[in-house]
Amino acid sequence: MNILILGSGGREHALAWAVKQNPKCDRLVCAPGNAGMAAIADCIAVDVMDNDAIVALCKAQNIDFAIIGAENPLANGVADALRAADILTFGPSKKASELESSKAFTKEICDACNAPTAAYARFRELDAAKAYVTEQGAPIVIKADGLAAGKGVIVAMDLQQALDGLDDIFDGAFGDAGTEVVIEEFMDGEEASFFVLSDGKNILPMGTAQDHKRAYDGDKGPNTGGMGAYSPAPVMTNAVTQKALVEIIQPTIDEMARRGTPFQGVLFAGFMIKNGQPRLVEYNVRFGDPECQTLMMRLGAQALDILQACAEGRLDSTRINWANDHAISIVLSADGYPGTYEKGTEIKGLDALNSDSKNMIFHAGTKADGDKVLAIGGRVLNVTARGTTLAEAHERAYAMVDQIDWPEGFHRKDIGWRAL
Ligand code: AMP
Ligand code: GLY
């Protein structure tokens, strides 16, 4: 089977690494890819937002199966374009991707299927939104409706912060994503991420993880795409998982099918859990980054069989073989991230590190330059380890981090603290 992985982050490198180990994978193409993927696949430059170019690439490379990594191409309809061209594809349609690309749409679905989530109201006018926030009081949560690279959410602990946030959104801080706002009740509790595959009808839980969104130790500093993750997340006990499946996930999948827009791909649900009750914070329609790195490390080669079964509508007869293991991924970022940072600095020490089924460096914003590896993005490397306990994986991952020579980078030293 010839396989395409669309994207260039650590998530896509982890998918490529797992897929490549499966004997069913004859040829692996990554587009556009990065230095890590270039070592195990053929990388081809493509604009991930150009559906025609992606279809043409698949035809030219005889691709049998396309796996889409990120949300923007999905919201742009790449899965529809590929399926229209008869290419087996992992990832939801443009319409089903609204579960991530419109927070208001997700709220509508929760209402329709009675899924527990924060109470909310929607506004298109600044004055009405401000009046509502003033009446409700703080803490309160303000969200730009559309895709804003994880930055369109303001958790306001006082009223002024909420009013300022509304000014920013209606001033265009998030462009078109902020034409509408969703204002939500503040939920308190512990957060966890749950990844569930759906072929449109059947569901298959794929694992839990916990991310660390803030840039610095102690959950301080600005929000980022994620500075580290571990899997499984202990807060997702069997009882919480069952409740989440029965009260939130399956009803969502059923409602999407009922509307004639079935969801096919991985549904990444963010929950707030309090007193054993999960409530939905948000949906994403793709794997988390860096959560995916921990899931792929735990699944290995079977990831391809599972993603293929999902795309082919066979999840009712598919099982996952879980080892009783734990994985952790530490993100190395360029100094200054998530603000401005230098590009083109050299990373040394990678060759000396082991890469095997328990220790892997997944690349994100890197580029090969001859024998050198250069940092060209904000999040640059994901140092990932698997062990029989989280403590063991944690120790090995940080030992690898210590051997990497990159003075222009930084990382959090407390990934996994909640579970350890
Ligand atoms: P989202 O992009 O919707 O996941 O929001 C980003 C982050 O904001 C979440 O991971 C939560 O930490 C926080 N958040 C979002 N909605 C709420 C809410 N209703 N109550 C408390 N925290 C929230
Ligand atoms: N790590 C969070 C995300 O991928 O959305």
Side-chain angles (χ1 to χ4, degrees):
M1 193 190 254
N2 295 336
I3 298 169
L4 170 79
I5 293 179
L6 189 71
S8 58
R11 165 180 51 207
E12 288 80 19
H13 185 192
L15 286 163
W17 171 83
V19 159
K20 173 86 181 183
Q21 292 171 51
N22 192 307
K24 273 199 290 198
C25 176
D26 295 314
R27 177 158 176 254
L28 182 61
V29 176
C30 295
N34 61 31
M37 288 186 256
I40 57 169
D42 297 326
C43 289
I44 300 179
V46 76
D47 173 359
V48 299
M49 298 302 279
D50 184 341
N51 294 342
D52 291 341
I54 294 161
V55 170
L57 185 154
C58 287
K59 298 253 170 206
Q61 302 295 325
N62 289 316
I63 296 298
D64 303 299
F65 184 31
I67 299 170
I68 314 301
E71 63 276 20
N72 285 316
L74 291 166
N76 192 41
V78 70
D80 309 75
L82 287 165
R83 285 191 195 105
D86 279 330
I87 295 160
L88 183 69
T89 301
F90 177 80
S93 66
K94 179 176 178 140
K95 185 65 201 163
S97 298
E98 282 190 28
L99 286 172
E100 176 163 1
S101 65
S102 168
K103 300 200 183 278
F105 177 76
T106 293
K107 286 299 199 183
E108 230 175 85
I109 297 289
C110 288
D111 284 348
C113 65
N114 270 320
T117 184
Y120 75 103
R122 295 162 63 167
F123 295 92
R124 287 176 168 267
E125 305 282 340
L126 177 61
D127 289 344
K130 283 190 164 175
Y132 178 79
V133 161
T134 308
E135 177 204 318
Q136 295 287 315
I140 195 158
V141 181
I142 317 278
K143 301 183 174 185
D145 177 62
L147 287 180
K151 295 180 194 111
V153 175
I154 299 147
V155 181
M157 298 316 284
D158 62 60
L159 189 59
Q160 196 53 49
Q161 213 185 340
L163 297 172
D164 291 348
L166 284 171
D167 279 329
D168 288 348
I169 294 179
F170 282 101
D171 264 357
F174 305 109
D176 286 348
T179 325
E180 177 163 353
V181 296
V182 174
I183 302 180
E184 277 187 17
E185 165 201 359
F186 172 82
M187 296 188 283
D188 114 73
E190 190 172 347
E191 285 191 80
S193 304
F194 191 24
F195 297 85
V196 182
L197 294 175
S198 172
D199 57 16
K201 191 165 145 218
N202 310 291
I203 60 174
L204 182 68
M206 212 189 183
T208 62
Q210 202 149 29
D211 189 16
H212 299 65
K213 295 219 191 234
R214 301 297 194 99
Y216 313 130
D217 287 3
D219 288 333
K220 302 230 164 51
N223 263 324
T224 69
M227 291 295 293
Y230 57 89
S231 170
V235 63
M236 288 293 296
T237 58
N238 283 340
V240 173
T241 301
Q242 273 314 309
K243 260 183 183 285
L245 289 172
V246 171
E247 295 178 10
I248 304 176
I249 305 286
Q250 186 72 60
T252 297
I253 295 300
D254 293 346
E255 177 63 18
M256 294 299 287
R258 198 190 61 75
R259 292 175 177 227
T261 52
F263 181 91
Q264 185 262 73
V266 60
L267 192 58
F268 160 6
F271 296 127
M272 192 67 81
I273 300 151
K274 197 179 175 189
N275 301 328
Q277 177 65 49
R279 292 169 83 195
L280 185 73
V281 177
E282 64 162 354
Y283 280 133
N284 296 302
V285 300
R286 34 80 194 175
F287 286 109
D289 185 344
E291 294 93 324
C292 183
Q293 290 79 316
T294 62
L295 294 176
M296 290 304 127
M297 197 88 205
R298 297 182 62 208
L299 288 167
Q302 62 177 324
L304 175 59
D305 303 317
I306 300 163
L307 300 190
Q308 186 189 353
C310 179
E312 290 176 348
R314 295 186 282 106
L315 286 182
D316 52 340
S317 58
T318 304
R319 276 212 182 72
I320 297 181
N321 292 317
W322 285 110
N324 201 357
D325 59 1
H326 298 255
I328 189 167
S329 186
I330 320 293
V331 175
L332 271 54
S333 297
D335 282 338
Y337 173 81
T340 51
Y341 48 81
E342 200 184 334
K343 289 185 183 175
T345 56
E346 188 182 350
I347 304 166
K348 294 184 195 152
L350 296 175
D351 287 344
L353 293 168
N354 282 342
S355 26
D356 53 38
S357 64
K358 288 186 157 178
N359 307 283
M360 269 304 298
I361 312 282
F362 294 120
H363 288 233
T366 66
K367 190 178 101 177
D369 179 16
D371 287 345
K372 294 182 187 169
V373 174
L374 304 182
I376 57 156
R379 292 191 296 169
V380 172
L381 293 173
N382 310 139
V383 179
T384 310
R386 186 168 68 90
T388 49
T389 63
L390 182 61
E392 182 208 326
H394 177 268
E395 195 181 313
R396 265 193 288 107
Y398 275 104
M400 286 194 279
V401 169
D402 287 342
Q403 292 183 60
I404 297 173
D405 178 10
W406 182 37
E408 294 84 2
F410 77 101
H411 62 274
R412 279 183 61 161
K413 297 177 181 64
D414 64 348
I415 301 303
W417 66 271
R418 263 195 200 83
L420 291 163

